[in-house]
Amino acid sequence: MSQRKATTSDAGRATIRDVAERAGVSVASVSRVLSGNYPVSEELRRRVMKVVRDLDYVTNAHARSLAGGGTPTVAILINNITGAAFAHVAKGVEGAATLRGWLSLVGTTGDDPERELALVNLMRQQGVAAVILLGGAYDYDEYQLRMARFARSLDAAGSHLVLVGRPPLEGDVPATTVDYDNEGGAYAMASHLLSAGHRRVLVLPGHAELTTAQARLRGAQRAFQAYGMPFDPGLVRHGRYDYEHGYEAVEAALHETPDFTAVLAGTDVVAAGAMQALRSAGLRVPEDVSIVGYDDIPLASQLTPQLTTVHVPYEEMGRVALRAVADRREGGSGGRKSADGDHLVLGTHVVVRNSVQPPAPRG
Amino acid sequence: MSQRKATTSDAGRATIRDVAERAGVSVASVSRVLSGNYPVSEELRRRVMKVVRDLDYVTNAHARSLAGGGTPTVAILINNITGAAFAHVAKGVEGAATLRGWLSLVGTTGDDPERELALVNLMRQQGVAAVILLGGAYDYDEYQLRMARFARSLDAAGSHLVLVGRPPLEGDVPATTVDYDNEGGAYAMASHLLSAGHRRVLVLPGHAELTTAQARLRGAQRAFQAYGMPFDPGLVRHGRYDYEHGYEAVEAALHETPDFTAVLAGTDVVAAGAMQALRSAGLRVPEDVSIVGYDDIPLASQLTPQLTTVHVPYEEMGRVALRAVADRREGGSGGRKSADGDHLVLGTHVVVRNSVQPPAPRG
DNA sequence: TTGAAAGCGGTACCAC
DNA sequence: GTGGTACCGCTTTCAA
């Protein structure tokens, strides 16, 4: 193909040396002009900038980070990029990152521990400022050990582990947790149903092993207890946080334990499925059966009737998570960062819409 | 704090030199063992790997890419990470990337040209294999020039511009386009309504300047023409691709041009808003008014009634986009890659559900 | 097979 | 203020 002078490299990008040469100055000067953090004569600056524009030069980020500087990067690790809640956290992280000139890497684990490990290592290679793990965790045996290992590994590499939307790790682990009052939200939501007069509530908390689901179930149970009402485990159905589960769980419940007057869904999406199943069975919402959700994603206010649900500040959690790592970074050496990391908890609250009504009198 | 030996660096991560030293071999050998693409004695490998595990060592990605190798990275640039359609494309890209061991960077532009430019340059600095721009574009005056500049700029840096979900650039621009048959889908969707007997169709194509909206409107118009039916511009309402627009547009139309019997929404989300507005006005879907959408995101099948819509293979588009850049990379030097880049078009098709019925006889 | 050393593209310290 | 230059951590010839 076309081959120009060998100096101004034809393949690949222009280097700082190309710029220096063409501007008739030293590479050090070019570096200074571009960094802008050093006094430089107006004349030099002009000359350099002209060549930079002519060559459409940009610094090589890899070289820059090797040499010292470099753009901080955060890695966002997520099970499934498609979930609305996750998307909002990611938005918060990415937005806050961009605001600071940081970059965001994204990886999806698909609930596969192997992939998760591979990604954490990949991110470690990249020298990311932090690895942010989003979403509830499956609390299997090795989970704590696994995460502790991640945390120490990242910490040793000058990076940091941030857990968002799941409980903090036990013991002295160098990790930061950004969580929300999951159990409290569920407690409030269940209380809302109880105070409307509901006693037989179908509960769809999510997977039994998922920390998120466990907290929501606990919250519901506590509410029943506080109201002095018996909590029937037979009305609890576990399953995935998706539309299909909501649908199928309600369908099954209508056959097996049809005396419930309300559904406490683990997420808004599950609530949507539940609502559809009730409709298909000829039941009206909320006249015949009330429904509440959890998350307060846009879908909640788009359903008919609009869904009463628990608002979780997902986007803010993302922002808070990023701010936490940024702060800790500025804190620098000798900062008073506790070895066991911080634990930030954001509040949740019930958003009352139109999907709840006192139970219909027994027919 | 604790300060061990200066050799095995206490702060920051272990380097290849640390590993070499501790294993009593040369750095070259360590490099070879880790790359695995070079014959190495079993004994050496064992010694090195042990130290690697002991030190929990991972290669510095920046140094590696500077020196030659390195993990290819793709950048996904998106307006709003929150949109379901975008999320699916991103999933396709990220999935295909991870499959090849590639990394995915993500940036959001928020429809701000400045941010977009800044991001493209940032990505150029990172030396990404490709920059993938997602979603329809606003076809303002400078758009073509702007994109051409991006394309050449990236191309000169050994990177590549990929446009996904928007029309290809004009002229000899080094960019790849992955598009879908947008107009064809709209044509088919409108035809579906027409053949059901609808004549007065409220059309909500999206923003007038958005390429996506333009194509969908053209498709609808062509369908009317093919049916020999007059197309009333007075029944077209432009606006954002969101729930609120769907709601407000229908609300307004019910006041001003209430004789429509069907709504052709620009996206499923707009359709959801439209559906809600009709309900609020006491109209039934599809008995009184039919509705169709576009995109076929999960929401479409979760609405009541389930939405008849146009399926767009978003996730596949993402995969295809990544494959395109991977192929072009392997094609290597002298490959037969045309200067004007490729243009890949995926098909769309109507998914018939329950939101369309022949128009009710005039009351 | 293994080791020594020359870069990769910048940054920043040290002279002038 | 500006130029020379020693690294940053790794890959990859080139010799041994």
Side-chain angles (χ1 to χ4, degrees):
Chain A
M1 297 265 172
S2 68
Q3 169 131 7
R4 310 189 178 202
K5 288 162 67 178
T7 50
T8 304
S9 57
D10 154 72
R13 36 212 280 216
T15 75
I16 197 174
R17 241 167 289 268
D18 294 328
V19 176
E21 198 171 318
R22 192 140 155 178
V25 301
S26 73
V27 294
S29 295
V30 176
S31 176
R32 288 184 189 117
V33 169
L34 293 176
S35 306
N37 52 7
Y38 214 83
V40 165
S41 78
E42 210 22 65
E43 158 67 4
L44 205 175
R45 137 165 278 103
R46 216 184 303 282
R47 285 243 299 283
V48 169
M49 288 313 288
K50 167 143 182 27
V51 176
V52 165
R53 267 189 299 273
D54 288 354
L55 260 44
D56 198 16
Y57 168 84
V58 286
T59 58
N60 180 322
H62 298 301
R64 195 213 280 277
S65 20
L66 232 204
T71 313
T73 304
V74 279
I76 306 172
L77 265 39
I78 206 174
N79 280 332
N80 174 5
I81 206 174
T82 284
F86 289 169
H88 285 271
V89 181
K91 182 180 183 181
V93 172
E94 199 277 339
T98 302
L99 217 62
R100 292 171 166 76
W102 291 27
L103 235 35
S104 309
L105 276 166
V106 148
T108 65
T109 61
D111 272 331
D112 176 357
E114 301 243 14
R115 286 252 308 230
E116 191 181 56
L117 172 58
L119 279 171
V120 168
N121 279 330
L122 198 53
M123 297 314 176
R124 205 145 57 94
Q125 294 186 199
Q126 302 295 318
V128 298
V131 171
I132 303 182
L133 246 41
L134 302 190
Y138 290 92
D139 198 6
Y140 54 93
D141 273 0
E142 289 199 55
Y143 173 73
Q144 290 281 341
L145 274 69
R146 180 187 182 74
M147 287 301 134
R149 209 155 26 224
F150 283 175
R152 289 190 227 287
S153 199
L154 288 165
D155 187 69
S159 185
H160 190 64
L161 178 66
V162 181
L163 267 26
V164 175
R166 61 175 78 173
L169 299 174
E170 303 158 1
D172 247 32
V173 181
T176 298
T177 302
V178 177
D179 204 1
Y180 54 98
D181 184 10
N182 203 340
E183 186 174 330
Y187 177 90
M189 192 72 267
S191 300
H192 181 74
L193 287 177
L194 285 161
S195 69
H198 293 278
R199 296 294 176 264
R200 298 290 293 167
V201 178
L202 178 65
V203 182
L204 312 177
H207 260 153
E209 303 78 23
L210 194 62
T211 55
T212 313
Q214 294 168 345
R216 294 179 187 181
L217 180 54
R218 272 200 308 276
Q221 289 172 318
R222 258 192 34 222
F224 271 80
Q225 203 176 312
Y227 270 75
M229 292 296 158
F231 183 85
D232 181 0
L235 278 177
V236 176
R237 285 170 187 268
H238 294 282
R240 296 179 52 191
Y241 278 150
D242 60 20
Y243 184 89
E244 286 68 29
H245 166 58
Y247 192 98
E248 289 160 10
V250 165
E251 204 174 31
L254 285 174
H255 283 298
E256 301 165 21
T257 54
D259 63 329
F260 60 89
T261 63
V263 179
L264 181 69
T267 71
D268 294 340
V269 173
V270 171
M275 197 180 284
Q276 183 56 40
L278 290 169
R279 287 245 175 69
S280 299
L283 293 164
R284 293 162 306 163
V285 177
E287 291 81 356
D288 300 317
V289 178
S290 294
I291 299 189
V292 296
Y294 208 118
D295 280 351
D296 195 24
I297 59 175
L299 171 68
S301 56
Q302 296 172 8
L303 289 172
T304 314
Q306 295 192 312
L307 194 66
T308 289
T309 187
V310 177
H311 178 77
V312 181
Y314 286 116
E315 192 172 335
E316 193 191 346
M317 288 171 66
R319 282 194 298 267
V320 166
L322 193 100
R323 193 185 317 142
V325 337
D327 286 353
R328 142 184 289 269
R329 204 152 231 256
E330 287 171 4
S333 55
R336 46 145 186 60
K337 42 189 176 185
S338 56
D340 61 341
D342 334 44
H343 181 198
L344 307 169
V345 182
L346 305 193
T348 53
H349 62 266
V350 170
V351 179
V352 177
R353 298 211 179 86
N354 316 314
S355 61
V356 174
Q357 230 175 56
R362 294 277 183 134
Chain B
M1 298 268 168
S2 67
Q3 172 133 2
R4 309 185 179 206
K5 287 162 68 177
T7 51
T8 302
S9 59
D10 154 71
R13 39 214 277 217
T15 74
I16 197 174
R17 237 171 298 265
D18 295 327
V19 176
E21 198 170 318
R22 193 139 153 178
V25 301
S26 74
V27 294
S29 295
V30 176
S31 174
R32 287 186 189 115
V33 169
L34 293 176
S35 306
N37 51 9
Y38 214 82
V40 164
S41 78
E42 211 22 63
E43 158 68 5
L44 206 176
R45 136 165 279 102
R46 215 184 304 282
R47 286 244 297 283
V48 169
M49 288 313 286
K50 167 141 182 29
V51 176
V52 164
R53 268 189 297 272
D54 288 353
L55 258 43
D56 199 16
Y57 167 84
V58 285
T59 319
N60 180 321
H62 297 300
R64 196 213 281 276
S65 28
L66 231 204
T71 314
T73 303
V74 280
I76 306 174
L77 264 39
I78 208 174
N79 280 331
N80 175 5
I81 207 173
T82 285
F86 289 168
H88 285 272
V89 181
K91 182 179 183 183
V93 172
E94 199 276 339
T98 301
L99 217 62
R100 292 172 167 75
W102 291 29
L103 236 35
S104 307
L105 275 165
V106 148
T108 66
T109 62
D111 271 331
D112 177 355
E114 301 242 16
R115 285 252 310 230
E116 190 182 56
L117 172 58
L119 279 171
V120 168
N121 280 330
L122 198 54
M123 297 314 174
R124 204 144 59 92
Q125 293 185 199
Q126 302 295 319
V128 297
V131 172
I132 303 183
L133 245 41
L134 300 191
Y138 290 92
D139 199 5
Y140 55 93
D141 274 0
E142 290 200 56
Y143 173 73
Q144 289 282 339
L145 273 69
R146 181 186 182 72
M147 287 302 134
R149 208 154 28 225
F150 282 175
R152 288 190 229 288
S153 199
L154 288 166
D155 187 69
S159 184
H160 191 64
L161 179 66
V162 180
L163 268 25
V164 174
R166 60 175 78 174
L169 298 174
E170 302 159 2
D172 247 31
V173 181
T176 298
T177 303
V178 177
D179 205 1
Y180 54 97
D181 185 9
N182 203 340
E183 186 174 331
Y187 178 90
M189 193 71 269
S191 301
H192 181 74
L193 287 177
L194 284 160
S195 69
H198 293 278
R199 296 296 176 262
R200 298 287 295 165
V201 177
L202 178 64
V203 182
L204 312 177
H207 260 154
E209 304 77 24
L210 194 63
T211 54
T212 312
Q214 294 168 345
R216 293 179 187 182
L217 179 56
R218 273 199 308 278
Q221 289 172 319
R222 258 191 35 223
F224 273 80
Q225 203 175 312
Y227 271 74
M229 292 296 158
F231 183 84
D232 181 0
L235 280 177
V236 176
R237 285 171 186 270
H238 294 282
R240 296 178 54 191
Y241 278 149
D242 59 21
Y243 184 88
E244 287 68 29
H245 166 58
Y247 192 98
E248 290 160 9
V250 164
E251 204 174 31
L254 285 174
H255 284 298
E256 300 166 21
T257 54
D259 63 329
F260 61 88
T261 62
V263 180
L264 180 69
T267 71
D268 293 340
V269 173
V270 171
M275 198 180 284
Q276 183 56 39
L278 290 169
R279 287 246 174 70
S280 298
L283 293 164
R284 293 162 306 163
V285 177
E287 292 80 358
D288 300 317
V289 178
S290 293
I291 299 189
V292 296
Y294 208 117
D295 280 351
D296 194 25
I297 59 175
L299 171 67
S301 55
Q302 296 172 6
L303 289 171
T304 315
Q306 296 192 311
L307 194 65
T308 290
T309 188
V310 177
H311 179 77
V312 180
Y314 285 115
E315 193 172 334
E316 193 191 347
M317 288 171 66
R319 281 195 298 267
V320 167
L322 193 102
R323 193 184 317 142
V325 338
D327 286 353
R328 140 184 291 269
R329 207 149 227 258
E330 286 172 3
S333 55
R336 46 149 184 57
K337 41 187 176 186
S338 56
D340 61 341
D342 335 41
H343 181 200
L344 307 170
V345 182
L346 305 193
T348 52
H349 62 265
V350 170
V351 178
V352 178
R353 299 208 177 87
N354 316 314
S355 63
V356 175
Q357 228 174 57
R362 294 278 184 133

